[in-house]
Every structure is written in C-alpha cells, then in structure tokens.
Amino acid sequence: MLRPVRSEAVPRAVGAALALVALAGTGATGGCGSTPRSAGVAVGPAGTESTPRPGPAAQPGAMPGRAQPPPDRGRSPATPDRGRSPARPDRGGAPATLPTLGPGVAISSGSAGSPIPAGEILHGPRTRRWVALTFDADMTRAMLAQERAGRIPGSWYDGALFDELRATHTPATIFLTGLWTERHRAAVRRLAADPGIELANHTMDHSAFAQPCFGLPGVSSDHSRRAEVVQARRVIARASGVNPRFFRFPGGCARSADVALVHSQGEQPVLWDVVSGDAFQHDPGVIVRAVLGGVRPGSIVVAHCIGAPNTPATAAAMHVIIPALRARGYRFVTLSALLAPGR
C-alpha cells in the first residue's frame, strides 16, 4: 500500500529561473524546463517518508565555440558505480512493459491542490547513497531552425559534458527528444554503446502536454500527444536500438490523462527532486551549489546536455559536482538501477 506524504512548495528560484527563460526569448524555443510547483507523494512500503523539493530544471556547462560530437571511443571501462541498465529491447520501437519499481521509490499521489498528477516518479529510495544524474536533450522546431540559420554558436550538443561523463566513468540517463536524436544520430549511437548510459524519451519536439507551460509550444489533441511519445520512441529505437523505458514531460507539465497515455505506451514518467539550475546560467558555481545543497540519498538531478547558448556552464559544473559527491560517499547510477527492486 502506497502512503501519501505531505507536499512541499517549490522554492522561489523556480519562478525566477522561468522569468529568465521568458526574458531571454527562448521560452518558446529553448524550453529549458522548469519543475512543478508542489507534489503529493506516495512511497513504497519499505521506503522512508520524504518530501520532494521540485524546482527549475537547468545545468550550466556550455563551452565557447561550436560544440562538435566527440570521437567514438568505444565503451568506457567498467567501474564499481556504473549502473547497468537491463537488457535492451528490439529495434522496432514497439511499446515496452512498464519497469518494475522497487520499494521506497517516491511517486506523485495527485493529491488535491497539487499540479502534479498521480503516477510520476520524484526520487528513488532514501535508504542508500545512490544518485541519478539526468540530462535533457531539448530541441524544439524553433531551436532546429535557429541552428540551421546559423543563429547559435553550436549545434545544441554539449560535447564537453559528454566528455566529462566518459572520462569520469559516470553513469547517467539522457532524455532524448526525437529532433535532437535525428540531428545527432552518431552521438546517440555512441551513447547507446556505453554501458553506463541509459537513454529515455523526452517527446519528439519538446512540446508541452499541458498549458500554460512556461512559454513552450503545446500540443492540442490527444492524438498529437500520443504521436509525441510514439514518434520519439521510434526515432530513438532506429538510431540506437534502444526502446526507452522512462519518459519526461517537457517543463514537467502534464495532466492525469497524459500520465495514463505514457503508461499505455510502456513508459514510466519521471520528474526530479534536485534542480541544477543550469538554464541560461553562466556561472558554474551557482549550479554546483544548487546540486550539492540539494542532493540526498535517492535523488534524481535534472540538467541539460544542449550547451550554449541555453545551458553554457553544465560541463564545468559537473567537473566539480561529480568528484564532490563521490567524496561524500555517493554512487552514481542510471534511473533503471536507482529505481529497480532488489538493489
């Protein structure tokens, strides 16, 4: 039996970060998401009661100049904290079976007054010092047009961040939009070949499922919502051979019907409890303080992997965050490892 846990309001920093997105004129094009305002939570019977601390999603680590995909270095050597994902499904992009969750996983309960519908994961068990780093590969159609027109310095690809993850043998889960996957097919194939990297679904073109959603473009029908899930899954499967098991709504904006839709496609919606704050943040120190100050056992950290101009400091911040959390005794794992039963 899942037990409801009281909700907690989002920090004021959420509104400030979202205002920055709007002022930068990229709320409709970049969509460096935000986090829900409050949440009711249900925790598995073996878990400890906890309260999510949702906030804006962002990560500072863009490097100057045009970011290029890193060379193919093959698989990184296995290390003690590499969280391997379960066997990968076929390449057909067919709906998978919902992942089985372990005890202590915090799931939104959809309590009265909460903007978060029931059924979304907020964090893992608080009983072990494991942390899941997650990075959103946002790309709207407007962002793609900006790149093609040469109006941005890079290609919405944070090569320095992926180099950092690879060099430090740090497991992570990457939430891919379909447009980003199509634009960076070779990089996605390399990510899929890395046993420490898990790929997940972030819609086809980063359109919001519910409005208002911080200036993001939206989808207007249930048919379009389903297409956002299915088309992205098929694109990811064709590029990588991986059928995603986890899903993240752009901006964290969704209705109960949207969660049910994603579940019907065999994918589990995932939010977060630690916001990196990397959106339009040029100071890595701000991101470092946000993550190190927010992480608890079982945390899910949300950040981005698109680089400048929207998230220019993420890689530099991770260069500090990764060794700092390891020094505190934390182990980095994929979402599959964090949320699985019997771990």
Side-chain angles (χ1 to χ4, degrees):
M1 177 76 68
L2 294 177
R3 297 179 299 176
V5 181
R6 65 181 178 85
S7 62
E8 179 174 296
V10 165
R12 292 182 180 177
V14 177
L18 296 175
L20 179 58
V21 171
L23 287 172
T26 54
T29 59
C32 291
S34 70
T35 310
R37 292 179 288 274
S38 63
V41 184
V43 181
T48 56
E49 291 190 356
S50 58
T51 305
R53 299 184 309 285
Q59 282 240 356
M63 307 304 289
R66 190 175 188 85
Q68 297 296 330
D72 189 357
R73 299 179 182 178
R75 294 175 180 262
S76 302
T79 61
D81 72 354
R82 292 192 78 81
R84 290 178 179 267
S85 303
R88 289 167 172 154
D90 64 75
R91 296 173 181 265
T97 302
L98 275 174
T100 302
L101 304 178
V105 173
I107 304 171
S108 57
S109 63
S111 59
S114 170
I116 305 177
E120 296 194 76
I121 290 174
L122 299 166
H123 61 75
R126 296 300 197 196
T127 54
R128 55 198 175 191
R129 296 178 76 81
W130 287 14
V131 174
L133 296 178
T134 68
F135 299 93
D136 293 355
D138 299 356
M139 184 174 282
T140 63
R141 298 191 185 280
M143 290 170 69
L144 181 60
Q146 283 182 319
E147 179 191 340
R148 288 175 171 169
R151 295 199 299 269
I152 63 165
S155 58
W156 304 115
Y157 180 96
D158 196 342
L161 171 64
F162 291 117
D163 283 349
E164 184 68 28
L165 295 176
R166 187 175 291 108
T168 56
H169 309 303
T170 301
T173 300
I174 312 299
F175 282 87
L176 299 170
T177 55
L179 292 183
W180 195 95
T181 300
E182 290 179 332
R183 175 65 183 83
H184 299 292
R185 285 182 177 272
V188 169
R189 285 194 294 271
R190 285 191 291 273
L191 291 171
D194 188 326
I197 296 295
E198 179 171 42
L199 303 182
N201 189 341
H202 197 36
T203 73
M204 186 64 198
D205 60 8
H206 207 252
S207 293
F209 277 49
Q211 292 288 357
C213 190
F214 316 116
L216 285 173
V219 287
S220 58
S221 69
D222 289 339
H223 175 79
S224 297
R225 291 180 180 91
R226 182 180 183 277
E228 286 284 342
V229 180
V230 173
Q231 290 177 11
R233 182 179 67 237
R234 289 174 177 168
V235 168
I236 294 166
R238 285 196 298 268
S240 67
V242 175
N243 279 337
R245 306 174 70 242
F246 297 105
F247 179 91
R248 178 169 286 161
F249 292 104
C253 303
R255 311 162 304 157
S256 295
D258 301 326
V259 174
L261 168 64
V262 173
H263 281 160
S264 76
Q265 294 301 309
E267 299 182 29
Q268 171 62 56
V270 177
L271 285 170
W272 53 81
D273 68 323
V274 176
V275 176
S276 66
D278 61 348
F280 309 107
Q281 178 56 252
H282 291 265
D283 181 357
V286 173
I287 302 162
V288 170
R289 289 189 293 274
V291 174
L292 296 186
V295 162
R296 297 170 61 191
S299 280
I300 298 173
V301 180
V302 62
H304 296 82
C305 56
I306 57 176
N310 287 15
T311 58
T314 309
M318 288 297 140
H319 185 71
V320 177
I321 290 167
I322 290 169
L325 286 178
R326 281 182 170 144
R328 295 182 184 181
Y330 282 100
R331 174 182 178 184
F332 294 105
V333 295
T334 61
L335 280 176
S336 287
L338 180 70
L339 305 174
R343 299 297 295 250

